[in-house]
Amino acid sequence: MKRTTTLIILLVVLLALLSWVAIQVAPKPAPTHQFFTENSKDWIVPAETGVEVSSLLATRSETRVQAGQQDLLTEDGGIASFFLSGMYHGKRFDTLALPSDFFSKTKGMSITEQHRAGEEQAAMRVQPHLIPGDGVPDGFILARKEEKGIVFYLYIDDDFRSQLSAVNLVWGDDFSDSGTLRERPFSFANLKDGVYVDSLSGASWYQDDPIKGGLLVGDITISTMESFEETESTFMMVR
Amino acid sequence: MNRKADFGFSQIVIAVLMLTVVITGGKIVYDLSGEGSQYLLGQANIKTFDQGIIDRYNQTSAYTQDATNSVKGFIYAVNSLAYLDTYKDNAFSKKILGVKFNDDKSLTTARKSFGGVQVEPTYYDRETVTPAATASVESVKESIGLAVLSCWFIFEDKGNEPTRCFALAMPSDYPAASLTELDGFMNAGVASYLGSHKLLLCEQFSKKYSFITQEVCLEKIGGLAGDGMFDVEDIDQGDVPANFFTTLAPKGELLSICADPSWLDEVTLHGGAEDACDAPTNALSFGYKVKGFSLPQDVTPSSSGFTNAVETLTAYGDPQYLLFYEKFPADEAQYWETSSYQIAWGTILAVEGGFALVDVITMGMGSKFGKTLLAPFKNPVTEVTGNLVKKAVSTAGQGATRLIKGLFSTPIEFLVKRTVMTEAVQESAEIAFGKSIRGLLGSADDAVAKELAEKLAGTSSHQLKELLEGADKHFVKDGVLTTEGERELLDRLNKKVFITHSTPEIPFSEVMEMPYYKLVYQRAEQLAKGGDVTEELFEQAQREASQKVAGQVGKEIVNEASLQGLRSVPREAVRVYRAGMRGQNLLKEILLGDMTEEARKEALIKVLKAGDADILAKMSPLELRAFLSNQGAVKKMLFDEKTGKVILGAIGKDFTEEAQQQALKRLDTILASKTIDELAPRSGIAIQTFLRTPTSSIGRIGGPLAMLEQKRHLVAVLAGIAAARIESMAEKNYPVGGANSIGLKSPYFHTIPYTTLMEDVTYPEINAYIANSPDPALQKKLQAHQALVEKTVLPNYGERNMEGLLPEVERYYLSLTKDQGVFSQDPERFYLASPCQADLLLEVSSCECYYTEDAEAGIFETGDAPKQLMGKDENGNDVATGKFVTTPHFDGKNSMLYTLDSNSKSIKECHSDTAWFHADTLHKPLCIKVNPIVENYGTDNYCYHGISDSDEAISSAITAAQIGLPFLGLLCGPAAPACIAGIMAAVGFGTGVVGEAAKGAIAIDSQWPNHD
């Protein structure tokens, strides 16, 4: 009887041990793409107002987007940064094209309130938060690490499309040398919730140090840049 | 009658003078015998003084302690962050980063305190969920449920990698009753909530993530809630205290939601432990938080009599404490000047007067009046008269240089405002401006004047300012542009070349051309070698220096006055006067020269023995600062290590051999004690206790005292203190002392520099060592570095190790994130000003730094070391090479820009982009970004100058009025009677004055050094 009990206990212990070992040595599951989807339209998620381009979903949480800057984790553990800005009818801005008296008129507000007011009063916005249909052009450029290098995903809302006479992409290694620049029209084939998505791969300007080129998206062409007429243009830019 | 009147007037003058002398003398005697002097001379015990003095002393001591602790905490955070980011994968970093932060024991060590300042790691690779204060309890529960569910998806997608997913931050004003309800929810178990709200949550989840179906969601949530095998829940919330929401959440503690690869694969929740998730860190994830950082300053009416920062600024000058990286940012300095809060009436009247005169001349050119007026210029017989007229024009603008610069910098700013002017007016403006230039410059060449005007009209005022830096040196003779100057100017404009504003006032290469400096360096070199210098050589140096300095005086006054808008002429005069003393002061050069410590001591003693103990009185603020802060040995000679008393009085004429030996022994003891940062504030406290209060007159009499040629140590010390006070009031823009340095500046204190801890070890050397390929000769140094790092970065170290920055910090530019950071912000050099209470968040990132490639030498693109900027002259002395150095950064990427500071030491630079992005090149150097979360907005808590903004519409309207009328007069000028031109010029003058004054008022209003 005692022997049987001892045997059972031993078996139980052995089983437990084996189970534990099995769990420990079990092959680690391969990464999947159920949540971190590969479809650039899926990265557009609803927000309180409008939509948000989720860098979490797009980059498997290996990025940080804040105030016109995207920091991306590189293969060697370093940081690759991309800086966003815009030009609204010849007037440069960073994330929001604000009226000149904006800050004096919003004195006393908290940062959150001020940012909300800024979003409401801006003539154009370049940020992950897009509000289609409100009459204000919204755009965002997301850099994503892929096998073929950095791919830029370009998001613009329907206001951006309707208010600009044309939407082109101009990119290249040196803005001061039009021979290095290329251009093509924005593709409006992908649409979700009032936001169009296009992408650009194969650019190399971001690999230079220092950087002399970049990517422009908006009412601009190489010829307008050659004649310095972009001072009247509206576009967003990443460098 | 007349005799009587003359006699009476003279008597009055004499009487007033005598009275002044008597009062001043009385003041001097009173103050020199006062408690402050007694204490400074070591003749009194602070505890025996009035209670008011004791209170001030105690308060100042407490403030200084707070500031020092804050800076130490900040230095610790910077060092730790730089080190851990640089060597993410080495064993030492892993030892620190691998600490299980949810272990109570390690938590106590990971958080380091410096007095009331707490430094701890913080994380950025998670999303923070912040419900609104008005959010319902149900919506908060939903947020937690959705975050847990998302974390589970993330965990699986990452192949079961441990992951830091979310942090819930409750608003501080969230209702207490609701918090109690949330504690109940948490204690009942999140798994239970997920189980009972599956459908609701999955509906929400699928609405947000439309690519995940409700079926998939329900399956996942079921597993989490315990629907799977053995009904085991996959959520562990054992770390969340039972009363987390009611006790910890209101204090800002977070609820962390992590994925943890334990054997049951769980989502774990932690309450209150900032660094709870046991997940790997990376460059994007890791940062530091300095909690309770404080640079105190009392600006309350009760103690200072002043109610706001501007009044305090006007009364005291610089803030009580300034903490800055390498140098105080020049663009920011203007907001901390008292002159920024006054309308410069003198400048306005002078400039507008000058323009009115120019307008009259140019407007009437086509008229009889104009021809009459201009006749003297064209008639050789009346050349003298013409010159007088020209001189009058110059005088009206407070000197030719001022007027020329004024013409270029002020009206062009308006001319280029195309938004408020029609094309026709603009064209007229260009023509008119061409005429103005021609008239002013005495040039008969229409083509040149027109070309110049066209170029100028298309160039920004900022560029013009840059362009014309040094115009008086190279292009102007007797108040007019030379032909060569015109051509040079046009060439520069065509090439769009402009000199960076960060170019030193006097280029180092130019300085080196001065024989005096060469001699001084030779002397220093000889002293270093133990040799001697003849008296003749010394006198020759003095003579030549005096000539050079005299030549500089006029230029500097004009330059600085024009740059400062004439408002600070008195201050500049003081500065230049002191600079003029340079010729008689060899000591500075001896102290600043590259020589051994032993030779330096010897040189100092020689000077002191010679009885030249009033050297301090003759020092310029810059020299004094250098004297006090750059030379550890000298600093320690001035102040007693233990008591903070001034000890300079102990050495001088009666400096016997025995006394010398004692002093040297004392110096050695002080040097060995390594208490620099303890010593300096203490002496500062003593000085400040007696001089800080505006009712004290010691500071005010310091100026006159400094003028006295007395060989008394007391006078020397007080004069030095007075000079320090003047420096504190007016000068803050002196660099700390080269790259990779942080300085803490305070009135009456010298700048406390925190420079590279081991200057003889470079980062590439360290890197080579870490890569296991060390040069054997370096091993000893590198081992010492490792020991330093272990003392500096490990949580358990001595506070005294926070005396400087690790060499690894050199990889980064320290930047400041301001309020506008939320909207994106141009790069700002890091600085903080008192009063400042904030939690500082530090993170590693890249900065957006631009420069125009064809900019003249002055900004250097370099990597390896600032040393690369320097070369050797024929005497083997260091000189700036003036060449671009385009070697890649030492880590092969992230190139950095350098420039030379006013001490000819290289420092890092980061500039914002220009309007012409075609020409800009972008550097993305690594940065440590410091984001102060400032407490209590609007309650005398500034930290930095905030949003500066003025209403452009109003400014434009004023501008239009300001220039519109004169141009209208201009257009009418040739056709109208002469008097019309004159009237219009007068109207232009009036509107100009009113407009400038209004703009000044707007500018003042927008320069409030606060942020809302």
Side-chain angles (χ1 to χ4, degrees):
Chain A
M1 183 66 185
K2 277 185 180 174
R3 186 182 291 174
T4 311
T5 310
T6 309
L7 203 60
I8 290 169
I9 291 170
L10 275 174
L11 273 172
V12 169
V13 170
L14 193 63
L15 270 173
L17 198 63
L18 283 173
S19 307
W20 185 84
V21 170
I23 289 167
Q24 292 301 312
V25 300
K28 208 175 165 188
T32 55
H33 300 278
Q34 197 166 29
F35 187 70
F36 293 134
T37 163
E38 294 287 286
N39 186 342
S40 57
K41 279 205 289 189
D42 290 342
W43 307 332
I44 302 170
V45 296
E48 199 175 327
T49 54
V51 297
E52 187 98 19
V53 177
S54 170
S55 55
L56 169 81
L57 292 178
T59 66
R60 306 181 72 85
S61 76
E62 288 187 351
T63 198
R64 178 171 57 199
V65 178
Q66 54 187 15
Q69 177 171 353
Q70 182 189 355
D71 288 344
L72 198 57
L73 202 61
T74 60
E75 295 296 342
D76 63 358
I79 292 174
S81 294
F82 297 91
F83 298 95
L84 277 170
S85 62
M87 178 92 89
Y88 183 72
H89 294 302
K91 187 176 175 185
R92 287 289 299 275
F93 66 94
D94 291 317
T95 53
L96 302 174
L98 296 167
S100 62
D101 58 353
F102 172 76
F103 289 108
S104 60
K105 288 191 174 167
T106 55
K107 269 186 179 176
M109 286 184 178
S110 71
I111 298 296
T112 312
E113 289 169 340
Q114 200 176 36
H115 190 251
R116 194 170 294 139
E119 285 196 325
E120 285 168 6
Q121 295 180 34
M124 183 176 169
R125 299 177 283 245
V126 180
Q127 56 177 18
H129 181 209
L130 294 88
I131 311 172
D134 69 343
V136 178
D138 283 308
F140 180 59
I141 302 174
L142 179 79
R144 186 172 188 258
K145 202 169 54 184
E146 296 187 5
E147 277 182 17
K148 47 192 170 184
I150 297 289
V151 177
F152 296 95
Y153 288 88
L154 325 165
Y155 294 84
I156 62 170
D157 70 356
D158 45 19
D159 302 307
F160 198 106
R161 184 184 189 184
S162 63
Q163 293 203 13
L164 273 64
S165 56
V167 183
N168 294 312
L169 278 61
V170 176
W171 73 98
D173 292 342
D174 189 349
F175 283 146
S176 64
D177 179 2
S178 56
T180 67
L181 302 179
R182 297 177 63 191
E183 73 177 61
R184 72 165 169 81
F186 187 95
S187 166
F188 294 100
N190 284 317
L191 174 68
K192 181 185 176 185
D193 300 335
V195 174
Y196 298 94
V197 194
D198 193 1
S199 67
L200 177 75
S201 57
S204 58
W205 56 265
Y206 62 86
Q207 295 170 336
D208 294 337
D209 183 20
I211 287 167
K212 297 177 181 176
L215 165 62
L216 314 176
V217 180
D219 178 14
I220 189 155
T221 62
I222 294 174
S223 67
T224 47
M225 286 185 70
E226 278 176 331
S227 57
F228 296 96
E229 285 171 1
E230 80 281 357
T231 50
E232 300 302 322
S233 300
T234 297
F235 56 84
M236 60 179 175
M237 170 165 67
V238 66
R239 298 189 78 178
Chain B
M1 283 288 283
N2 285 340
R3 254 180 91 187
K4 272 185 183 176
D6 287 342
F7 178 76
F9 181 71
S10 302
Q11 289 290 72
I12 289 167
V13 170
I14 290 167
V16 168
L17 283 174
M18 283 183 69
L19 196 62
T20 306
V21 169
V22 168
I23 290 171
T24 308
K27 277 279 185 191
I28 291 170
V29 171
Y30 173 80
D31 286 316
L32 292 187
S33 60
E35 289 173 328
S37 299
Q38 288 172 27
Y39 183 78
L40 287 170
L41 290 170
Q43 300 299 314
N45 183 344
I46 195 90
K47 289 178 183 170
T48 63
F49 290 172
D50 293 345
Q51 191 57 41
I53 290 177
I54 296 170
D55 290 346
R56 275 209 305 278
Y57 182 88
N58 291 337
Q59 187 200 45
T60 310
S61 300
Y63 279 3
T64 303
Q65 193 60 49
D66 284 352
T68 309
N69 283 334
S70 294
V71 175
K72 283 180 175 177
F74 177 67
I75 298 248
Y76 164 63
V78 170
N79 277 337
S80 301
L81 191 52
Y83 188 88
L84 297 176
D85 183 63
T86 303
Y87 313 115
K88 298 174 198 77
D89 298 325
N90 79 3
F92 183 67
S93 294
K94 282 181 177 168
K95 188 177 166 187
I96 298 172
L97 294 174
V99 170
K100 281 182 73 72
F101 288 119
N102 54 357
D103 177 333
D104 284 344
K105 190 180 169 189
S106 56
L107 259 182
T108 57
T109 55
R111 289 178 171 172
K112 176 67 191 169
S113 292
F114 297 83
V117 181
Q118 195 173 60
V119 186
E120 61 187 27
T122 188
Y123 294 88
Y124 295 102
D125 61 342
R126 61 185 175 194
E127 283 201 5
T128 303
V129 180
T130 312
T134 54
S136 67
V137 173
E138 279 311 311
S139 72
V140 176
K141 289 181 191 173
E142 230 175 84
S143 297
I144 295 171
L146 289 171
V148 168
L149 187 55
S150 300
C151 193
W152 186 245
F153 272 101
I154 291 169
F155 179 55
E156 289 199 339
D157 261 13
K158 285 194 166 187
N160 290 12
E161 278 290 327
T163 304
R164 201 174 285 107
C165 295
F166 298 95
L168 180 81
M170 293 305 292
S172 57
D173 53 348
Y174 199 72
S178 301
L179 289 171
T180 308
E181 211 176 318
L182 284 172
D183 269 338
F185 150 78
M186 190 56 72
N187 294 332
V190 174
S192 153
Y193 172 78
L194 290 182
S196 59
H197 291 73
K198 280 181 205 166
L199 285 174
L200 172 78
L201 290 171
C202 280
E203 191 184 335
Q204 295 290 335
F205 194 79
S206 297
K207 204 181 278 179
K208 183 168 186 182
Y209 306 112
S210 56
F211 49 93
I212 293 179
T213 62
Q214 285 210 41
E215 289 71 30
V216 171
C217 176
L218 285 168
E219 188 188 329
K220 295 280 181 193
I221 206 167
L224 273 171
D227 290 353
M229 193 187 295
F230 310 120
D231 290 342
V232 177
E233 295 169 359
D234 284 336
I235 299 170
D236 179 356
Q237 57 180 77
D239 268 357
V240 184
N243 52 359
F244 168 78
F245 281 101
T246 46
T247 56
L248 298 178
K251 294 177 186 170
E253 299 278 8
L254 304 172
L255 179 74
S256 302
I257 298 165
C258 328
D260 188 344
S262 63
W263 73 291
L264 282 178
D265 296 338
E266 293 169 326
V267 171
T268 56
L269 278 71
H270 307 269
E274 163 71 13
D275 33 24
C277 296
D278 188 12
T281 54
N282 58 47
L284 293 177
S285 67
F286 197 67
Y288 268 90
K289 185 190 282 184
V290 183
K291 292 166 82 172
F293 179 93
S294 170
L295 296 178
Q297 179 161 337
D298 193 355
V299 292
T300 55
S302 58
S303 61
S304 68
F306 301 102
T307 54
N308 61 47
V310 169
E311 287 178 15
T312 308
L313 203 59
T314 308
Y316 291 138
D318 289 346
Q320 181 73 12
Y321 297 98
L322 287 169
L323 181 68
F324 54 96
Y325 170 60
E326 295 181 344
K327 70 171 185 177
F328 196 85
D331 293 346
E332 288 292 309
Q334 60 178 310
Y335 299 113
W336 301 97
E337 297 283 356
T338 52
S339 56
S340 294
Y341 304 93
Q342 297 157 3
I343 293 176
W345 288 106
T347 306
I348 292 172
L349 293 173
V351 170
E352 296 302 327
F355 272 104
L357 198 53
V358 171
D359 283 347
V360 168
I361 293 168
T362 55
M363 282 189 290
M365 272 184 180
S367 68
K368 191 178 171 185
F369 173 78
K371 282 174 185 167
T372 308
L373 190 65
L374 288 175
F377 291 96
K378 294 174 181 172
N379 185 348
V381 179
T382 54
E383 194 177 349
V384 175
T385 317
N387 285 339
L388 283 175
V389 173
K390 278 199 278 187
K391 196 172 178 183
V393 172
S394 302
T395 308
Q398 294 291 309
T401 305
R402 168 66 196 148
L403 187 54
I404 291 167
K405 285 192 174 182
L407 278 170
F408 289 155
S409 61
T410 311
I412 287 299
E413 187 183 338
F414 308 143
L415 292 180
V416 295
K417 282 188 181 298
R418 300 175 187 201
T419 52
V420 296
M421 291 167 62
T422 65
E423 202 172 304
V425 171
Q426 184 187 332
E427 192 182 338
S428 304
E430 287 175 9
I431 295 166
F433 193 67
K435 286 180 182 177
S436 299
I437 291 169
R438 188 180 58 193
L440 184 74
L441 303 183
S443 165
D445 188 341
D446 278 341
V448 170
K450 189 170 184 306
E451 193 181 350
L452 195 57
E454 283 171 0
K455 295 288 180 190
L456 292 175
T459 310
S460 75
S461 59
H462 173 69
Q463 280 180 317
L464 278 167
K465 264 190 166 176
E466 302 285 358
L467 180 73
L468 291 163
E469 283 286 343
D472 53 324
K473 289 178 191 164
H474 306 298
F475 308 143
V476 182
K477 191 177 178 187
D478 298 330
V480 297
L481 271 183
T482 60
T483 307
E484 187 190 354
E486 285 174 5
R487 286 293 165 199
E488 177 71 22
L489 202 54
L490 287 172
D491 282 351
R492 285 187 177 204
L493 283 164
N494 285 328
K495 290 177 187 167
K496 295 230 180 272
V497 173
F498 54 94
I499 303 167
T500 170
H501 58 77
S502 52
T503 303
E505 269 181 24
I506 308 170
F508 191 75
S509 54
E510 196 177 310
V511 170
M512 284 309 298
E513 283 171 14
M514 298 178 183
Y516 164 62
Y517 284 89
K518 283 186 180 174
L519 286 168
V520 164
Y521 276 98
Q522 279 171 15
R523 178 173 167 81
E525 200 175 39
Q526 281 175 292
L527 277 171
K529 289 174 184 167
D532 205 353
V533 179
T534 63
E535 198 61 29
E536 287 79 9
L537 194 60
F538 180 40
E539 284 175 6
Q540 185 189 347
Q542 279 194 334
R543 273 198 308 276
E544 294 187 27
S546 298
Q547 287 167 8
K548 284 286 177 190
V549 168
Q552 284 293 118
V553 169
K555 284 183 184 176
E556 288 191 19
I557 286 181
V558 172
N559 278 349
E560 291 302 320
S562 60
L563 287 173
Q564 303 284 340
L566 291 177
R567 285 169 292 188
S568 50
V569 167
R571 198 179 71 219
E572 285 308 312
V574 171
R575 195 179 72 77
V576 174
Y577 166 75
R578 289 177 181 278
M581 292 294 192
R582 261 182 296 195
Q584 300 168 35
N585 181 14
L586 192 63
L587 182 63
K588 169 210 160 188
E589 300 300 339
I590 293 171
L591 292 172
L592 293 179
D594 185 14
M595 60 202 296
T596 65
E597 283 297 305
E598 198 60 39
R600 203 185 307 283
K601 283 182 212 167
E602 191 186 332
L604 180 62
I605 288 165
K606 275 185 181 181
V607 174
L608 291 173
K609 273 183 77 177
D612 195 11
D614 57 345
I615 44 170
L616 286 176
K618 294 177 177 176
M619 281 188 174
S620 73
L622 174 60
E623 290 162 348
L624 189 76
R625 188 200 69 84
F627 182 83
L628 291 174
S629 62
N630 282 351
Q631 305 298 327
V634 176
K635 188 165 59 186
K636 286 164 185 167
M637 281 189 77
L638 275 174
F639 300 107
D640 183 276
E641 174 202 8
K642 295 215 163 54
T643 64
K645 293 171 189 168
V646 176
I647 59 172
L648 185 65
I651 47 179
K653 267 186 175 176
D654 305 325
F655 205 45
T656 62
E657 286 298 319
E658 191 185 353
Q660 276 186 49
Q661 291 305 318
Q662 281 179 355
L664 284 173
K665 199 175 169 188
R666 185 187 190 84
L667 271 178
D668 289 338
T669 310
I670 294 169
L671 281 170
S673 66
K674 295 187 183 306
T675 55
I676 297 172
D677 61 341
E678 293 297 320
L679 181 64
R682 198 172 299 164
S683 56
I685 291 167
I687 296 167
Q688 183 178 320
T689 299
F690 297 103
L691 300 185
R692 179 65 177 169
T693 167
T695 56
S696 167
S697 54
I698 296 177
R700 285 200 289 275
I701 65 163
L705 278 177
M707 305 287 284
L708 299 175
E709 290 287 333
Q710 294 184 29
K711 308 283 185 193
R712 292 181 58 193
H713 306 311
L714 171 63
V715 173
V717 171
L718 287 180
I721 292 164
R725 182 173 185 271
I726 291 169
E727 179 213 6
S728 299
M729 296 289 283
E731 304 288 352
K732 66 180 72 64
N733 205 19
Y734 294 137
V736 181
N740 207 31
S741 56
I742 290 173
L744 177 64
K745 179 78 186 73
S746 185
Y748 316 110
F749 288 36
H750 53 72
T751 301
I752 303 171
Y754 297 85
T755 53
T756 305
L757 284 169
M758 291 187 71
E759 289 178 348
D760 57 343
V761 179
T762 65
Y763 167 68
E765 288 170 346
I766 298 163
N767 210 23
Y769 177 71
I770 285 165
N772 294 319
S773 57
D775 176 348
L778 289 171
Q779 283 202 24
K780 197 174 174 186
K781 277 200 288 185
L782 294 170
Q783 281 165 4
H785 168 264
Q786 187 61 16
L788 177 71
V789 165
E790 290 189 14
K791 282 195 292 181
T792 309
V793 179
L794 262 182
N796 292 321
Y797 60 89
E799 289 188 6
R800 290 197 188 284
N801 291 313
M802 294 303 100
E803 289 180 346
L805 301 172
L806 287 176
E808 285 76 7
V809 181
E810 194 183 313
R811 299 178 68 219
Y812 307 84
Y813 178 82
L814 261 63
S815 72
L816 173 68
T817 304
K818 290 183 167 182
D819 297 342
Q820 277 175 289
V822 73
F823 297 98
S824 182
Q825 171 201 309
D826 287 338
E828 291 250 16
R829 181 179 288 280
F830 168 77
Y831 84 94
L832 289 173
S834 65
C836 178
Q837 282 92 43
D839 289 345
L840 309 184
L841 296 177
L842 284 77
E843 64 179 342
V844 171
S845 183
S846 299
C847 273
E848 188 180 12
C849 303
Y850 292 90
Y851 86 118
T852 305
E853 204 175 39
D854 59 358
E856 195 163 292
I859 290 184
F860 302 86
E861 180 191 356
T862 183
D864 187 317
K867 289 168 195 162
Q868 288 197 9
L869 301 175
M870 307 300 284
K872 298 282 183 189
D873 66 6
E874 66 275 13
N875 295 321
N877 297 315
D878 285 340
V879 292
T881 60
K883 291 176 185 170
F884 282 106
V885 184
T886 52
T887 51
H889 195 256
F890 46 70
D891 57 3
K893 54 192 175 185
N894 298 114
S895 57
M896 170 55 85
L897 300 173
Y898 288 91
T899 189
L900 297 180
D901 66 20
S902 55
N903 287 334
S904 293
K905 291 190 175 180
S906 58
I907 55 171
K908 302 185 192 90
E909 280 288 340
C910 186
H911 295 267
S912 52
D913 54 352
T914 68
W916 302 97
F917 65 85
H918 301 81
D920 284 345
T921 55
L922 170 60
H923 289 255
K924 299 177 177 178
L926 283 174
C927 272
I928 290 179
K929 292 187 173 177
V930 185
N931 182 9
I933 308 300
V934 182
E935 299 167 3
N936 307 320
Y937 287 125
T939 54
D940 297 333
N941 188 15
Y942 305 110
C943 294
Y944 51 83
H945 169 257
I947 294 163
S948 177
D949 176 51
S950 60
D951 192 323
E952 200 168 283
I954 295 175
S955 294
S956 298
I958 290 169
T959 299
Q962 202 176 347
I963 63 171
L965 284 170
F967 281 133
L968 193 60
L970 184 73
L971 293 172
C972 299
C979 62
I980 296 295
I983 290 167
M984 294 314 292
V987 172
F989 173 79
T991 51
V993 170
V994 172
E996 286 284 3
K999 279 172 76 83
I1002 291 170
I1004 288 170
D1005 185 50
S1006 67
Q1007 283 178 15
W1008 178 251
N1010 195 359
H1011 36 100
D1012 295 300

